[in-house]
mmCIF file of all heavy atoms in Angstrom:
data_model
loop_
_atom_site.group_PDB
_atom_site.id
_atom_site.type_symbol
_atom_site.label_atom_id
_atom_site.label_comp_id
_atom_site.label_asym_id
_atom_site.label_seq_id
_atom_site.Cartn_x
_atom_site.Cartn_y
_atom_site.Cartn_z
ATOM 1 N N CYS L 66 -29.697 7.436 40.433
ATOM 2 C CA CYS L 66 -29.165 7.210 39.089
ATOM 3 C C CYS L 66 -27.976 6.258 39.044
ATOM 4 O O CYS L 66 -27.557 5.832 37.962
ATOM 5 C CB CYS L 66 -28.782 8.548 38.449
ATOM 6 S SG CYS L 66 -27.490 9.450 39.343
ATOM 7 N N LYS L 67 -27.429 5.883 40.200
ATOM 8 C CA LYS L 67 -26.196 5.087 40.232
ATOM 9 C C LYS L 67 -26.346 3.731 39.547
ATOM 10 O O LYS L 67 -25.461 3.290 38.813
ATOM 11 C CB LYS L 67 -25.739 4.877 41.675
ATOM 12 C CG LYS L 67 -25.165 6.128 42.324
ATOM 13 C CD LYS L 67 -24.718 5.837 43.757
ATOM 14 C CE LYS L 67 -24.094 7.065 44.399
ATOM 15 N NZ LYS L 67 -23.691 6.813 45.791
ATOM 16 N N SER L 68 -27.445 3.042 39.787
ATOM 17 C CA SER L 68 -27.607 1.697 39.255
ATOM 18 C C SER L 68 -27.605 1.696 37.733
ATOM 19 O O SER L 68 -26.836 0.958 37.094
ATOM 20 C CB SER L 68 -28.899 1.065 39.780
ATOM 21 O OG SER L 68 -29.110 -0.204 39.186
ATOM 22 N N ALA L 69 -28.454 2.513 37.120
ATOM 23 C CA ALA L 69 -28.548 2.533 35.655
ATOM 24 C C ALA L 69 -27.244 3.024 35.026
ATOM 25 O O ALA L 69 -26.759 2.442 34.049
ATOM 26 C CB ALA L 69 -29.717 3.410 35.222
ATOM 27 N N LEU L 70 -26.669 4.088 35.581
ATOM 28 C CA LEU L 70 -25.416 4.621 35.034
ATOM 29 C C LEU L 70 -24.266 3.630 35.186
ATOM 30 O O LEU L 70 -23.365 3.575 34.339
ATOM 31 C CB LEU L 70 -25.040 5.930 35.733
ATOM 32 C CG LEU L 70 -25.939 7.143 35.470
ATOM 33 C CD1 LEU L 70 -25.540 8.296 36.381
ATOM 34 C CD2 LEU L 70 -25.876 7.572 34.013
ATOM 35 N N GLY L 71 -24.311 2.844 36.247
ATOM 36 C CA GLY L 71 -23.249 1.876 36.487
ATOM 37 C C GLY L 71 -23.367 0.635 35.622
ATOM 38 O O GLY L 71 -22.361 -0.033 35.330
ATOM 39 N N ARG L 72 -24.590 0.322 35.188
ATOM 40 C CA ARG L 72 -24.791 -0.901 34.389
ATOM 41 C C ARG L 72 -24.771 -0.619 32.888
ATOM 42 O O ARG L 72 -24.436 -1.497 32.103
ATOM 43 C CB ARG L 72 -26.093 -1.591 34.806
ATOM 44 C CG ARG L 72 -25.994 -2.199 36.205
ATOM 45 C CD ARG L 72 -27.246 -2.947 36.618
ATOM 46 N NE ARG L 72 -28.412 -2.087 36.637
ATOM 47 C CZ ARG L 72 -29.512 -2.299 35.927
ATOM 48 N NH1 ARG L 72 -29.599 -3.352 35.125
ATOM 49 N NH2 ARG L 72 -30.531 -1.475 36.003
ATOM 50 N N TYR L 73 -25.135 0.598 32.488
ATOM 51 C CA TYR L 73 -24.959 0.997 31.084
ATOM 52 C C TYR L 73 -24.213 2.320 31.109
ATOM 53 O O TYR L 73 -24.789 3.373 31.352
ATOM 54 C CB TYR L 73 -26.298 1.132 30.346
ATOM 55 C CG TYR L 73 -26.091 1.282 28.847
ATOM 56 C CD1 TYR L 73 -26.014 0.149 28.033
ATOM 57 C CD2 TYR L 73 -25.919 2.527 28.265
ATOM 58 C CE1 TYR L 73 -25.787 0.275 26.670
ATOM 59 C CE2 TYR L 73 -25.682 2.660 26.910
ATOM 60 C CZ TYR L 73 -25.618 1.528 26.113
ATOM 61 O OH TYR L 73 -25.381 1.657 24.763
ATOM 62 N N SER L 349 -34.850 1.856 41.003
ATOM 63 C CA SER L 349 -33.651 2.423 40.391
ATOM 64 C C SER L 349 -33.001 1.444 39.415
ATOM 65 O O SER L 349 -32.207 1.850 38.566
ATOM 66 C CB SER L 349 -32.639 2.813 41.470
ATOM 67 O OG SER L 349 -32.203 1.676 42.198
ATOM 68 N N MET L 352 -36.585 1.181 36.487
ATOM 69 C CA MET L 352 -37.390 2.367 36.191
ATOM 70 C C MET L 352 -38.892 2.076 36.276
ATOM 71 O O MET L 352 -39.725 2.893 35.868
ATOM 72 C CB MET L 352 -37.078 2.963 34.802
ATOM 73 C CG MET L 352 -35.610 3.252 34.574
ATOM 74 S SD MET L 352 -34.950 4.513 35.674
ATOM 75 C CE MET L 352 -33.497 3.694 36.312
ATOM 76 N N TRP L 380 -27.945 9.862 30.614
ATOM 77 C CA TRP L 380 -29.054 9.395 31.452
ATOM 78 C C TRP L 380 -30.165 8.787 30.588
ATOM 79 O O TRP L 380 -30.777 7.774 30.950
ATOM 80 C CB TRP L 380 -29.613 10.516 32.319
ATOM 81 C CG TRP L 380 -30.845 10.119 33.063
ATOM 82 C CD1 TRP L 380 -32.094 10.626 32.931
ATOM 83 C CD2 TRP L 380 -30.957 9.067 34.042
ATOM 84 N NE1 TRP L 380 -32.978 9.976 33.761
ATOM 85 C CE2 TRP L 380 -32.302 9.011 34.459
ATOM 86 C CE3 TRP L 380 -30.047 8.174 34.600
ATOM 87 C CZ2 TRP L 380 -32.773 8.109 35.399
ATOM 88 C CZ3 TRP L 380 -30.508 7.261 35.547
ATOM 89 C CH2 TRP L 380 -31.848 7.238 35.939
ATOM 90 N N SER L 383 -28.910 5.324 29.555
ATOM 91 C CA SER L 383 -28.835 4.388 30.679
ATOM 92 C C SER L 383 -30.214 4.011 31.206
ATOM 93 O O SER L 383 -30.493 2.837 31.464
ATOM 94 C CB SER L 383 -27.987 4.985 31.804
ATOM 95 O OG SER L 383 -26.651 5.194 31.382
ATOM 96 N N SER L 384 -31.095 5.002 31.370
ATOM 97 C CA SER L 384 -32.434 4.698 31.896
ATOM 98 C C SER L 384 -33.268 3.946 30.869
ATOM 99 O O SER L 384 -34.027 3.031 31.214
ATOM 100 C CB SER L 384 -33.141 5.980 32.343
ATOM 101 O OG SER L 384 -33.324 6.877 31.262
ATOM 102 N N ALA L 387 -32.050 0.400 30.909
ATOM 103 C CA ALA L 387 -32.485 -0.293 32.131
ATOM 104 C C ALA L 387 -33.928 -0.763 32.011
ATOM 105 O O ALA L 387 -34.256 -1.915 32.340
ATOM 106 C CB ALA L 387 -32.324 0.628 33.345
#
Side-chain angles (χ1 to χ4, degrees):
C66 62
K67 288 181 178 178
S68 176
L70 292 172
R72 290 183 300 122
Y73 191 88
S349 63
M352 307 296 129
W380 173 244
S383 297
S384 61

